[in-house]
Amino acid sequence: ILAAHIMGAPTKDCERFAVVLGHALQLTNILRDLSVDRSQHRNYVPLEWFEAYRMDPNTTDKTELVVIANMLQEKALRYFEEARLVLPVEYARNLIPALLMRDSYSRLLRTIIETGSYATLTKRKLSAWDKAQIAIRAAYYFITLPRSVESKQ
């Protein structure tokens, strides 16, 4: 929320966007690091999720982790979609850094899903090509998004 205010997007709608996007980013991080965290006895997944499926919260069984990974993935995808829907268009230009984080992490989430890398001890990162596309997207946003109401004054 503080970042939205720093970026010049101080409305309640901007705060909602920031909170929803924050959830999507955090769930993506948890999914990306799932196996590494489990191997080091760290758990950032709500215990209720394990209880709902009658799983040991300390499990490192890959079959069980797939269930948890699918839940993380589904929730993260829903939050990314909600962030897209609640983005206050009139402040989108101010929120370009947040939009680039959204784009980076949603691309990372897709890569994790496609490769199943949450089940390995290797942290998945964006490729150079992915990063180049995000840089191009930054230029696109800067050129195409209208200036916000407060920036025009």
Side-chain angles (χ1 to χ4, degrees):
I1 295 173
L2 180 59
H5 285 269
I6 291 169
M7 290 180 219
T11 68
K12 290 288 183 201
D13 289 340
C14 294
E15 289 177 5
R16 175 152 173 70
F17 168 77
V19 169
V20 170
L21 181 59
H23 287 305
L25 301 180
Q26 191 59 43
L27 289 170
T28 302
N29 279 336
I30 292 169
L31 179 59
R32 180 194 62 198
D33 300 339
L34 187 61
S35 285
V36 172
D37 289 337
R38 305 303 293 165
S39 71
Q40 296 176 2
H41 307 289
R42 295 187 304 239
N43 182 40
Y44 301 103
V45 177
L47 292 176
E48 306 86 64
W49 294 13
F50 292 99
E51 292 167 2
Y53 288 92
R54 295 186 172 90
M55 284 189 250
D56 177 0
N58 298 312
T59 188
T60 54
D61 179 90
K62 292 201 189 289
T63 306
E64 291 183 342
L65 289 181
V66 168
V67 173
I68 298 301
N70 286 338
M71 292 173 71
L72 286 164
Q73 163 192 319
E74 288 170 21
K75 287 184 180 294
L77 287 170
R78 279 197 301 260
Y79 278 120
F80 279 119
E81 178 60 14
E82 186 178 348
R84 186 186 69 76
L85 294 172
V86 301
L87 172 67
V89 178
E90 65 275 18
Y91 286 98
R93 186 179 178 104
N94 293 41
L95 294 168
I96 288 175
L99 296 177
L100 295 174
M101 289 293 293
R102 178 199 64 190
D103 295 349
S104 300
Y105 272 74
S106 62
R107 184 175 297 271
L108 179 61
L109 179 61
R110 284 194 308 274
T111 302
I112 291 167
I113 292 166
E114 290 167 5
T115 63
S117 61
Y118 61 83
T120 69
L121 295 178
T122 305
K123 254 190 180 178
R124 188 67 186 172
K125 297 179 180 175
L126 293 176
S127 69
W129 175 241
D130 289 333
K131 292 174 184 176
Q133 287 179 320
I134 291 164
I136 292 166
R137 177 75 51 99
Y140 171 79
Y141 286 152
F142 189 74
I143 292 167
T144 61
L145 290 174
R147 295 176 67 192
S148 71
V149 176
E150 286 152 8
S151 300
K152 292 177 185 176
Q153 296 174 354

Short mmCIF file of all heavy atoms in Angstrom, two decimals, residues 73-113:
data_model
loop_
_atom_site.label_atom_id
_atom_site.label_comp_id
_atom_site.label_asym_id
_atom_site.label_seq_id
_atom_site.Cartn_x
_atom_site.Cartn_y
_atom_site.Cartn_z
N GLN A 73 -1.05 -22.36 -6.96
CA GLN A 73 -1.16 -21.91 -8.35
C GLN A 73 -2.54 -21.33 -8.63
O GLN A 73 -2.67 -20.24 -9.18
CB GLN A 73 -0.88 -23.11 -9.24
CG GLN A 73 -1.31 -23.00 -10.66
CD GLN A 73 -1.23 -24.36 -11.35
OE1 GLN A 73 -0.29 -25.10 -11.14
NE2 GLN A 73 -2.22 -24.67 -12.15
N GLU A 74 -3.59 -22.04 -8.23
CA GLU A 74 -4.96 -21.56 -8.48
C GLU A 74 -5.22 -20.24 -7.79
O GLU A 74 -5.81 -19.32 -8.37
CB GLU A 74 -5.96 -22.61 -8.04
CG GLU A 74 -6.01 -23.84 -8.93
CD GLU A 74 -6.84 -24.97 -8.34
OE1 GLU A 74 -7.69 -24.70 -7.46
OE2 GLU A 74 -6.64 -26.12 -8.76
N LYS A 75 -4.81 -20.13 -6.53
CA LYS A 75 -5.04 -18.89 -5.79
C LYS A 75 -4.23 -17.73 -6.41
O LYS A 75 -4.74 -16.63 -6.54
CB LYS A 75 -4.70 -19.08 -4.32
CG LYS A 75 -5.73 -19.91 -3.58
CD LYS A 75 -5.41 -19.98 -2.10
CE LYS A 75 -6.42 -20.79 -1.34
NZ LYS A 75 -7.75 -20.23 -1.31
N ALA A 76 -2.99 -18.00 -6.76
CA ALA A 76 -2.16 -16.95 -7.37
C ALA A 76 -2.78 -16.47 -8.68
O ALA A 76 -2.87 -15.27 -8.93
CB ALA A 76 -0.74 -17.45 -7.60
N LEU A 77 -3.23 -17.41 -9.51
CA LEU A 77 -3.86 -17.04 -10.78
C LEU A 77 -5.11 -16.19 -10.55
O LEU A 77 -5.34 -15.20 -11.27
CB LEU A 77 -4.21 -18.29 -11.60
CG LEU A 77 -3.03 -19.02 -12.23
CD1 LEU A 77 -3.47 -20.37 -12.79
CD2 LEU A 77 -2.35 -18.17 -13.29
N ARG A 78 -5.90 -16.55 -9.54
CA ARG A 78 -7.10 -15.76 -9.23
C ARG A 78 -6.73 -14.36 -8.78
O ARG A 78 -7.37 -13.38 -9.16
CB ARG A 78 -7.95 -16.47 -8.18
CG ARG A 78 -8.82 -17.56 -8.76
CD ARG A 78 -9.93 -17.97 -7.81
NE ARG A 78 -9.44 -18.46 -6.54
CZ ARG A 78 -9.32 -19.75 -6.21
NH1 ARG A 78 -9.70 -20.67 -7.05
NH2 ARG A 78 -8.87 -20.10 -5.04
N TYR A 79 -5.68 -14.24 -7.95
CA TYR A 79 -5.25 -12.91 -7.50
C TYR A 79 -4.71 -12.08 -8.66
O TYR A 79 -4.97 -10.87 -8.75
CB TYR A 79 -4.21 -13.00 -6.38
CG TYR A 79 -4.81 -13.22 -5.02
CD1 TYR A 79 -4.48 -14.34 -4.27
CD2 TYR A 79 -5.70 -12.31 -4.46
CE1 TYR A 79 -5.02 -14.53 -3.00
CE2 TYR A 79 -6.25 -12.49 -3.20
CZ TYR A 79 -5.90 -13.61 -2.47
OH TYR A 79 -6.42 -13.80 -1.23
N PHE A 80 -3.94 -12.70 -9.57
CA PHE A 80 -3.46 -11.95 -10.74
C PHE A 80 -4.64 -11.44 -11.57
O PHE A 80 -4.63 -10.30 -12.04
CB PHE A 80 -2.53 -12.80 -11.61
CG PHE A 80 -1.11 -12.85 -11.10
CD1 PHE A 80 -0.53 -14.05 -10.75
CD2 PHE A 80 -0.35 -11.69 -10.99
CE1 PHE A 80 0.77 -14.11 -10.29
CE2 PHE A 80 0.96 -11.73 -10.53
CZ PHE A 80 1.52 -12.95 -10.18
N GLU A 81 -5.64 -12.28 -11.74
CA GLU A 81 -6.82 -11.86 -12.51
C GLU A 81 -7.57 -10.74 -11.78
O GLU A 81 -7.99 -9.76 -12.40
CB GLU A 81 -7.74 -13.06 -12.76
CG GLU A 81 -9.01 -12.72 -13.51
CD GLU A 81 -8.81 -12.13 -14.89
OE1 GLU A 81 -7.70 -12.20 -15.44
OE2 GLU A 81 -9.79 -11.57 -15.44
N GLU A 82 -7.72 -10.88 -10.47
CA GLU A 82 -8.40 -9.83 -9.71
C GLU A 82 -7.62 -8.52 -9.79
O GLU A 82 -8.21 -7.45 -9.95
CB GLU A 82 -8.58 -10.26 -8.25
CG GLU A 82 -9.40 -9.27 -7.45
CD GLU A 82 -9.63 -9.70 -6.01
OE1 GLU A 82 -9.37 -10.86 -5.65
OE2 GLU A 82 -10.09 -8.83 -5.23
N ALA A 83 -6.29 -8.60 -9.71
CA ALA A 83 -5.47 -7.38 -9.82
C ALA A 83 -5.69 -6.72 -11.17
O ALA A 83 -5.78 -5.49 -11.26
CB ALA A 83 -3.99 -7.72 -9.62
N ARG A 84 -5.79 -7.52 -12.22
CA ARG A 84 -6.06 -6.98 -13.55
C ARG A 84 -7.40 -6.25 -13.58
O ARG A 84 -7.52 -5.16 -14.14
CB ARG A 84 -6.05 -8.10 -14.59
CG ARG A 84 -6.17 -7.61 -16.02
CD ARG A 84 -6.29 -8.75 -17.00
NE ARG A 84 -7.56 -9.47 -16.89
CZ ARG A 84 -8.73 -9.03 -17.33
NH1 ARG A 84 -8.83 -7.85 -17.91
NH2 ARG A 84 -9.83 -9.74 -17.19
N LEU A 85 -8.39 -6.84 -12.92
CA LEU A 85 -9.74 -6.26 -12.94
C LEU A 85 -9.87 -5.01 -12.06
O LEU A 85 -10.66 -4.12 -12.39
CB LEU A 85 -10.76 -7.31 -12.49
CG LEU A 85 -10.92 -8.51 -13.43
CD1 LEU A 85 -11.81 -9.57 -12.78
CD2 LEU A 85 -11.46 -8.08 -14.77
N VAL A 86 -9.15 -4.94 -10.96
CA VAL A 86 -9.31 -3.80 -10.04
C VAL A 86 -8.31 -2.68 -10.31
O VAL A 86 -8.37 -1.65 -9.66
CB VAL A 86 -9.23 -4.23 -8.55
CG1 VAL A 86 -10.28 -5.26 -8.23
CG2 VAL A 86 -7.85 -4.71 -8.17
N LEU A 87 -7.42 -2.88 -11.27
CA LEU A 87 -6.44 -1.84 -11.59
C LEU A 87 -7.17 -0.54 -11.94
O LEU A 87 -7.96 -0.50 -12.87
CB LEU A 87 -5.57 -2.26 -12.78
CG LEU A 87 -4.64 -1.18 -13.33
CD1 LEU A 87 -3.56 -0.84 -12.32
CD2 LEU A 87 -4.02 -1.65 -14.64
N PRO A 88 -6.93 0.52 -11.18
CA PRO A 88 -7.56 1.81 -11.51
C PRO A 88 -6.85 2.41 -12.74
O PRO A 88 -5.72 2.88 -12.64
CB PRO A 88 -7.35 2.66 -10.26
CG PRO A 88 -6.37 1.93 -9.41
CD PRO A 88 -6.17 0.57 -9.96
N VAL A 89 -7.50 2.35 -13.87
CA VAL A 89 -6.90 2.74 -15.15
C VAL A 89 -6.35 4.16 -15.10
O VAL A 89 -5.29 4.44 -15.67
CB VAL A 89 -7.94 2.58 -16.29
CG1 VAL A 89 -7.36 3.02 -17.62
CG2 VAL A 89 -8.41 1.14 -16.36
N GLU A 90 -7.04 5.04 -14.39
CA GLU A 90 -6.59 6.43 -14.35
C GLU A 90 -5.24 6.60 -13.62
O GLU A 90 -4.60 7.63 -13.72
CB GLU A 90 -7.65 7.34 -13.73
CG GLU A 90 -7.96 7.07 -12.27
CD GLU A 90 -9.00 5.97 -12.03
OE1 GLU A 90 -9.26 5.17 -12.94
OE2 GLU A 90 -9.52 5.92 -10.91
N TYR A 91 -4.80 5.57 -12.91
CA TYR A 91 -3.51 5.62 -12.22
C TYR A 91 -2.52 4.60 -12.77
O TYR A 91 -1.45 4.39 -12.21
CB TYR A 91 -3.69 5.39 -10.72
CG TYR A 91 -4.29 6.57 -10.01
CD1 TYR A 91 -5.65 6.62 -9.74
CD2 TYR A 91 -3.50 7.67 -9.66
CE1 TYR A 91 -6.21 7.72 -9.11
CE2 TYR A 91 -4.06 8.77 -9.04
CZ TYR A 91 -5.41 8.79 -8.77
OH TYR A 91 -5.97 9.88 -8.15
N ALA A 92 -2.87 3.93 -13.87
CA ALA A 92 -2.05 2.85 -14.40
C ALA A 92 -0.62 3.33 -14.72
O ALA A 92 0.34 2.63 -14.44
CB ALA A 92 -2.70 2.24 -15.63
N ARG A 93 -0.51 4.52 -15.29
CA ARG A 93 0.84 5.01 -15.63
C ARG A 93 1.70 5.17 -14.37
O ARG A 93 2.87 4.85 -14.38
CB ARG A 93 0.75 6.31 -16.41
CG ARG A 93 2.11 6.77 -16.92
CD ARG A 93 1.95 8.07 -17.71
NE ARG A 93 3.22 8.55 -18.16
CZ ARG A 93 3.65 8.44 -19.40
NH1 ARG A 93 2.90 7.87 -20.32
NH2 ARG A 93 4.83 8.91 -19.74
N ASN A 94 1.12 5.66 -13.31
CA ASN A 94 1.85 5.80 -12.05
C ASN A 94 2.28 4.45 -11.51
O ASN A 94 3.27 4.34 -10.80
CB ASN A 94 0.99 6.50 -10.99
CG ASN A 94 0.71 7.93 -11.33
OD1 ASN A 94 0.44 8.26 -12.48
ND2 ASN A 94 0.75 8.79 -10.34
N LEU A 95 1.50 3.43 -11.83
CA LEU A 95 1.73 2.09 -11.29
C LEU A 95 2.55 1.21 -12.22
O LEU A 95 2.57 -0.01 -12.04
CB LEU A 95 0.38 1.43 -10.98
CG LEU A 95 -0.42 2.09 -9.85
CD1 LEU A 95 -1.85 1.57 -9.82
CD2 LEU A 95 0.27 1.90 -8.51
N ILE A 96 3.25 1.80 -13.19
CA ILE A 96 4.04 1.00 -14.12
C ILE A 96 5.00 0.05 -13.38
O ILE A 96 5.10 -1.12 -13.75
CB ILE A 96 4.78 1.87 -15.16
CG1 ILE A 96 3.76 2.43 -16.17
CG2 ILE A 96 5.87 1.09 -15.88
CD1 ILE A 96 4.34 3.41 -17.17
N PRO A 97 5.71 0.48 -12.34
CA PRO A 97 6.57 -0.49 -11.63
C PRO A 97 5.78 -1.70 -11.10
O PRO A 97 6.24 -2.84 -11.20
CB PRO A 97 7.17 0.33 -10.48
CG PRO A 97 7.13 1.74 -10.98
CD PRO A 97 5.88 1.84 -11.79
N ALA A 98 4.59 -1.45 -10.59
CA ALA A 98 3.75 -2.55 -10.10
C ALA A 98 3.27 -3.42 -11.26
O ALA A 98 3.20 -4.65 -11.13
CB ALA A 98 2.57 -2.00 -9.31
N LEU A 99 2.95 -2.80 -12.39
CA LEU A 99 2.52 -3.56 -13.56
C LEU A 99 3.65 -4.46 -14.05
O LEU A 99 3.42 -5.60 -14.47
CB LEU A 99 2.06 -2.63 -14.68
CG LEU A 99 0.82 -1.79 -14.37
CD1 LEU A 99 0.51 -0.87 -15.54
CD2 LEU A 99 -0.36 -2.66 -14.04
N LEU A 100 4.87 -3.96 -14.01
CA LEU A 100 6.02 -4.77 -14.43
C LEU A 100 6.26 -5.93 -13.46
O LEU A 100 6.61 -7.04 -13.89
CB LEU A 100 7.26 -3.90 -14.59
CG LEU A 100 7.16 -2.86 -15.70
CD1 LEU A 100 8.37 -1.95 -15.69
CD2 LEU A 100 6.99 -3.53 -17.05
N MET A 101 6.06 -5.69 -12.18
CA MET A 101 6.15 -6.79 -11.20
C MET A 101 5.06 -7.82 -11.50
O MET A 101 5.30 -9.02 -11.48
CB MET A 101 5.99 -6.27 -9.77
CG MET A 101 7.16 -5.48 -9.27
SD MET A 101 8.64 -6.46 -9.06
CE MET A 101 8.17 -7.53 -7.73
N ARG A 102 3.85 -7.33 -11.77
CA ARG A 102 2.75 -8.23 -12.11
C ARG A 102 3.11 -9.08 -13.33
O ARG A 102 2.96 -10.30 -13.33
CB ARG A 102 1.49 -7.42 -12.39
CG ARG A 102 0.28 -8.28 -12.80
CD ARG A 102 -0.77 -7.48 -13.50
NE ARG A 102 -0.27 -6.96 -14.78
CZ ARG A 102 -0.90 -6.07 -15.51
NH1 ARG A 102 -2.05 -5.56 -15.10
NH2 ARG A 102 -0.40 -5.65 -16.66
N ASP A 103 3.63 -8.43 -14.36
CA ASP A 103 3.98 -9.14 -15.58
C ASP A 103 5.10 -10.15 -15.34
O ASP A 103 5.04 -11.28 -15.82
CB ASP A 103 4.40 -8.15 -16.68
CG ASP A 103 3.28 -7.23 -17.12
OD1 ASP A 103 2.11 -7.47 -16.74
OD2 ASP A 103 3.57 -6.26 -17.83
N SER A 104 6.12 -9.74 -14.58
CA SER A 104 7.25 -10.63 -14.29
C SER A 104 6.80 -11.86 -13.51
O SER A 104 7.16 -12.99 -13.85
CB SER A 104 8.31 -9.89 -13.45
OG SER A 104 8.80 -8.78 -14.14
N TYR A 105 6.03 -11.62 -12.48
CA TYR A 105 5.61 -12.74 -11.62
C TYR A 105 4.57 -13.62 -12.29
O TYR A 105 4.57 -14.83 -12.07
CB TYR A 105 5.12 -12.21 -10.27
CG TYR A 105 6.24 -12.05 -9.28
CD1 TYR A 105 7.14 -11.01 -9.38
CD2 TYR A 105 6.40 -12.96 -8.24
CE1 TYR A 105 8.18 -10.85 -8.48
CE2 TYR A 105 7.43 -12.82 -7.33
CZ TYR A 105 8.32 -11.77 -7.45
OH TYR A 105 9.35 -11.63 -6.56
N SER A 106 3.69 -13.05 -13.09
CA SER A 106 2.71 -13.91 -13.76
C SER A 106 3.43 -14.77 -14.80
O SER A 106 3.10 -15.94 -14.99
CB SER A 106 1.56 -13.11 -14.36
OG SER A 106 2.01 -12.23 -15.34
N ARG A 107 4.45 -14.23 -15.45
CA ARG A 107 5.26 -15.01 -16.39
C ARG A 107 6.02 -16.10 -15.62
O ARG A 107 6.08 -17.26 -16.05
CB ARG A 107 6.24 -14.11 -17.13
CG ARG A 107 7.05 -14.85 -18.19
CD ARG A 107 7.90 -13.87 -18.99
NE ARG A 107 7.10 -12.92 -19.72
CZ ARG A 107 6.63 -13.12 -20.95
NH1 ARG A 107 6.88 -14.24 -21.55
NH2 ARG A 107 5.92 -12.19 -21.55
N LEU A 108 6.57 -15.74 -14.47
CA LEU A 108 7.27 -16.72 -13.64
C LEU A 108 6.31 -17.83 -13.20
O LEU A 108 6.65 -19.02 -13.25
CB LEU A 108 7.89 -16.03 -12.41
CG LEU A 108 8.63 -16.92 -11.43
CD1 LEU A 108 9.81 -17.62 -12.10
CD2 LEU A 108 9.10 -16.10 -10.24
N LEU A 109 5.11 -17.46 -12.80
CA LEU A 109 4.12 -18.45 -12.38
C LEU A 109 3.80 -19.41 -13.52
O LEU A 109 3.76 -20.62 -13.33
CB LEU A 109 2.84 -17.76 -11.89
CG LEU A 109 1.71 -18.67 -11.44
CD1 LEU A 109 2.13 -19.54 -10.26
CD2 LEU A 109 0.48 -17.86 -11.08
N ARG A 110 3.60 -18.87 -14.72
CA ARG A 110 3.33 -19.73 -15.88
C ARG A 110 4.49 -20.69 -16.13
O ARG A 110 4.30 -21.87 -16.43
CB ARG A 110 3.05 -18.90 -17.13
CG ARG A 110 1.66 -18.29 -17.14
CD ARG A 110 1.27 -17.74 -18.51
NE ARG A 110 2.26 -16.84 -19.08
CZ ARG A 110 2.33 -15.55 -18.85
NH1 ARG A 110 1.45 -14.97 -18.04
NH2 ARG A 110 3.25 -14.79 -19.43
N THR A 111 5.72 -20.18 -16.00
CA THR A 111 6.90 -21.02 -16.21
C THR A 111 6.98 -22.12 -15.16
O THR A 111 7.27 -23.28 -15.49
CB THR A 111 8.18 -20.15 -16.17
OG1 THR A 111 8.07 -19.14 -17.17
CG2 THR A 111 9.43 -20.98 -16.41
N ILE A 112 6.71 -21.78 -13.92
CA ILE A 112 6.72 -22.77 -12.85
C ILE A 112 5.68 -23.85 -13.12
O ILE A 112 5.94 -25.05 -12.97
CB ILE A 112 6.47 -22.10 -11.47
CG1 ILE A 112 7.66 -21.23 -11.08
CG2 ILE A 112 6.19 -23.15 -10.40
CD1 ILE A 112 7.38 -20.29 -9.92
N ILE A 113 4.50 -23.43 -13.53
CA ILE A 113 3.41 -24.38 -13.81
C ILE A 113 3.81 -25.29 -14.98
O ILE A 113 3.64 -26.50 -14.91
CB ILE A 113 2.10 -23.62 -14.12
CG1 ILE A 113 1.59 -22.92 -12.87
CG2 ILE A 113 1.05 -24.58 -14.67
CD1 ILE A 113 0.51 -21.88 -13.14
#
